């Protein structure tokens, strides 16, 4: 069996949107399901007008951050380069192939005025007809065309489509597709500036690069019969096709940067892990056989199956992504987690506290990395707060109970010097027993009294342990005084 070769073929036209990244991922997975499979990166930059500076760097950076390592590509080389279309163009290979296609009857020179063709397109489309242009240039011989070109006449090369018959192919996602040839338009293959269009370059490059499986967005599904006619004209083998439904913002709209939807970079900047983003977008359109939800890239390779890609567009759900992100964060071992979030802790906490201990209390609570600084703001600065924070139905506390508990807690906390969590645990859990109250009636007021906040990562014991004796007592005193003043 031939080994699988796939390519991710982005156009460097800006940010990496989520749909693009999902195509990159599926393309990678299809290749890597084969232990010898090869994943190729090809940069499609023949549409020079749409190029955006820096976009290629974003592509490299994103693939690297996601661990989608390509085996062949512009930066790593490979046997079928160059891997950037504009560099392939300079070797003249598209023009040579186009001339060959003309000889095979699959294309023709066209000297018609583009404005004239567009006008008749507009008229036909307004009538609700599919566009058909009966190109008079098709009656010219190759010699006549070459003579006109030699005289400096401007031309394009268009595909020649049979006027009758049908073209069929099997798509792995959409099944058998059959179209009447007369509905296919004779699109431009080589533009007047000599550059190939996507419609041509994708076929030539996929063939020359030995691509066995083409994974791409379903917007190319309807043009694929045209591409297959080109393969047939050359007598080339047609690849397997996997067209993926779009990633949607809602039922009717595709996700797109133009509408202000988040790109991969935006999500990372908001504190989502590349691994979690990748995990989530794998599930946008593909459903695993089991109800497993958290997948590493290796697990995705193992479980992925193109047969389980759905035909319908999948709606991007930030809530679901957030939940997957939180599961990724919670599943890390503490050392890795600490290394990851240290910059976020450093941003919020300048005081001399044990930051690893802080990481430990944050880990079960932060869903997104950017939530972290705000969660920790009470360490450096003890916030002012109202006494009604002490009133909590569930904890069965009010201001009077809180004051009683705080006075008792202050006494035991002042008497102890070991502020390790274990020791504080012993000491503070002894108190409710002695006082004949519930644990929450002591621990809740203490937590509020030393954090000044309704919600905190960690409870009274962990926070007191991190703050240390001096700071804990100082805050308790302040809170006690504030309660006494009010009662
Ligand atoms: N350059 C095309 C795009 O970015 C690639 C389509 C394909 O994978 O064939 O949409």
């Amino acid at each position: 069996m031939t080994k699988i070769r796939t390519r991710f073929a982005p156009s460097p036209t800006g940010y990496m949107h989520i749909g693009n990244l999902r195509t990159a991922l599926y393309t990678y997975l299809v290749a890597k399901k084969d232990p010898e499979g090869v994943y190729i990166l090809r940069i499609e930059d023949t549409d020079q007008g749409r190029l955006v500076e820096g976009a290629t760097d974003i592509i490299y950076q994103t693939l690297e951050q996601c661990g989608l390592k390509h085996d062949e590509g512009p930066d790593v080389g490979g046997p079928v380069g160059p891997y950037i279309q504009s560099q392939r163009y300079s070797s003249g290979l598209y023009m040579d192939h186009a001339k060959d296609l003309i000889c095979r009857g699959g294309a023709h020179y066209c000297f018609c005025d583009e404005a004239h063709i567009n006008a008749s397109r507009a008229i036909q489309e307004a009538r609700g007809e599919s566009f058909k242009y009966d190109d008079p240039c098709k009656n010219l011989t190759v010699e006549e065309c070459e003579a006109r070109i030699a005289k400096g006449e401007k031309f394009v090369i268009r595909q020649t489509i049979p006027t009758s018959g049908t073209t069929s192919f099997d798509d792995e996602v959409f099944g058998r597709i059959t179209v009447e040839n007369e509905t296919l338009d004779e699109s431009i293959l080589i533009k007047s500036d000599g550059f190939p269009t996507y419609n041509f370059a994708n076929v030539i490059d996929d063939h020359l690069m030995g691509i066995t499986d083409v994974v791409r967005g379903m917007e190319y599904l309807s043009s694929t019969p045209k591409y297959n006619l080109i393969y047939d004209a050359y007598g080339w083998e047609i690849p397997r096709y996997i067209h993926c439904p779009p990633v949607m913002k809602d039922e009717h709209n595709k996700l797109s940067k133009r509408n202000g939807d988040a790109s991969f970079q935006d999500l990372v900047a908001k504190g989502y892990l590349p691994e979690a983003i990748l995990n989530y977008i794998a599930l946008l359109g593909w459903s695993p056989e089991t109800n497993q939800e958290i997948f590493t890239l290796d697990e995705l390779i193992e479980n992925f199956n193109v047969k389980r890609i759905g035909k319908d567009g999948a709606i991007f759900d930030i809530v679901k992504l957030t939940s997957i992100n939180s599961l990724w964060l919670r599943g890390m071992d503490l050392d890795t987690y600490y290394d990851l979030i240290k910059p976020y802790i450093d941003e919020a906490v300048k005081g001399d506290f044990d930051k690893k201990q802080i990481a430990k209390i944050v880990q079960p609570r932060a869903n997104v990395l950017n939530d972290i600084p705000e969660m920790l703001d009470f360490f450096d600065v003890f916030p002012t707060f109202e006494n009604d924070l002490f009133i909590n139905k569930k904890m069965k506390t009010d201001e009077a109970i809180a004051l009683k508990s705080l006075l008792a807690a202050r006494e035991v906390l002042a008497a102890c010097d070991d502020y390790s969590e274990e020791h504080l645990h012993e000491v503070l859990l002894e108190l409710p027993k002695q006082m004949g109250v519930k644990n929450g009636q002591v621990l809740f007021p203490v937590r509020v009294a030393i954090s000044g906040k309704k919600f905190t990562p960690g409870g009274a014991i962990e926070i007191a342990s991190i703050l240390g004796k001096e700071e804990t007592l100082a805050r308790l005193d302040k809170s006690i005084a504030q309660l006494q003043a009010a009662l």
Side-chain angles (χ1 to χ4, degrees), residues 7 9-11 44 198 215-216 220:
R7 86 298 189 276
S11 305
E44 301 208 324
Y198 169 80
V215 184
R216 64 185 168 206
Y220 296 101

Side-chain angles (χ1 to χ4, degrees), residues 351-372:
D352 181 22
F353 300 112
D354 180 339
K355 298 209 169 157
K356 195 150 187 183
Q357 229 183 330
I358 294 182
K360 203 173 93 194
I361 61 169
V362 170
Q363 191 171 18
R365 290 170 182 89
N367 297 330
V368 176
L369 298 175
N370 287 18
D371 292 349
I372 293 172

Side-chain angles (χ1 to χ4, degrees), residues 234-291:
Y234 287 118
W236 291 343
E237 196 179 332
I238 291 173
R240 197 163 77 116
Y241 289 110
I242 298 143
H243 284 96
C244 305
V247 177
M248 307 292 286
K249 175 200 187 77
D250 53 41
E251 240 172 274
H252 304 290
N253 301 293
K254 264 172 97 169
L255 207 63
S256 95
K257 183 74 172 181
R258 238 172 292 148
N259 302 330
D261 300 327
S263 68
F264 172 78
Q265 284 77 23
D266 294 335
L267 292 172
V268 171
K270 282 188 188 155
Y272 291 92
L273 295 177
E275 293 89 335
I277 301 173
L278 211 61
N279 183 162
Y280 173 60
I281 63 175
L283 301 171
L284 274 177
W286 165 73
S287 49
E289 262 163 67
T290 63
N291 49 17

Side-chain angles (χ1 to χ4, degrees), residues 452-472:
K453 291 181 86 169
K454 186 166 182 187
F455 301 108
T456 54
I461 293 166
E462 289 113 321
I463 294 172
S465 172
I466 295 169
L467 288 175
K469 184 170 180 175
E470 197 184 325
E471 183 66 17
T472 300

Side-chain angles (χ1 to χ4, degrees), residues 14 24 45 69 74 94 126 141 145 161 168 216 263 301 306 320 325 337 363 382 411 426 447 450 463:
D45 60 347
K69 201 167 163 305
Y94 300 113
T141 64
C145 293
I161 305 271
S168 301
R216 64 185 168 206
S263 68
I301 295 173
V306 292
K320 186 74 198 167
N325 198 63
Y337 184 74
Q363 191 171 18
F382 184 39
E411 209 178 305
E426 249 170 60
R447 185 174 66 74
I450 62 178
I463 294 172

Side-chain angles (χ1 to χ4, degrees), residues 22 45 58 80 111 124 144 149 176 183 261 267 350 422 450 467:
R22 193 196 54 176
D45 60 347
I58 295 182
V80 293
F111 301 92
Q124 290 183 35
E144 284 170 321
I149 292 165
R176 186 118 188 114
T183 63
D261 300 327
L267 292 172
K350 310 284 179 213
E422 299 71 38
I450 62 178
L467 288 175

Side-chain angles (χ1 to χ4, degrees), residues 42 46 84-86 88-99 190 194-196 200-202 204-205 234:
R42 179 173 77 218
T46 54
I84 300 185
Q85 277 181 338
S86 56
R88 299 172 71 73
Y89 161 81
S90 3
S91 71
L93 78 89
Y94 300 113
M95 188 56 97
D96 292 347
H97 276 88
K99 286 182 178 163
I190 301 281
F195 273 95
F200 190 50
N202 93 85
I204 303 303
D205 289 341
Y234 287 118

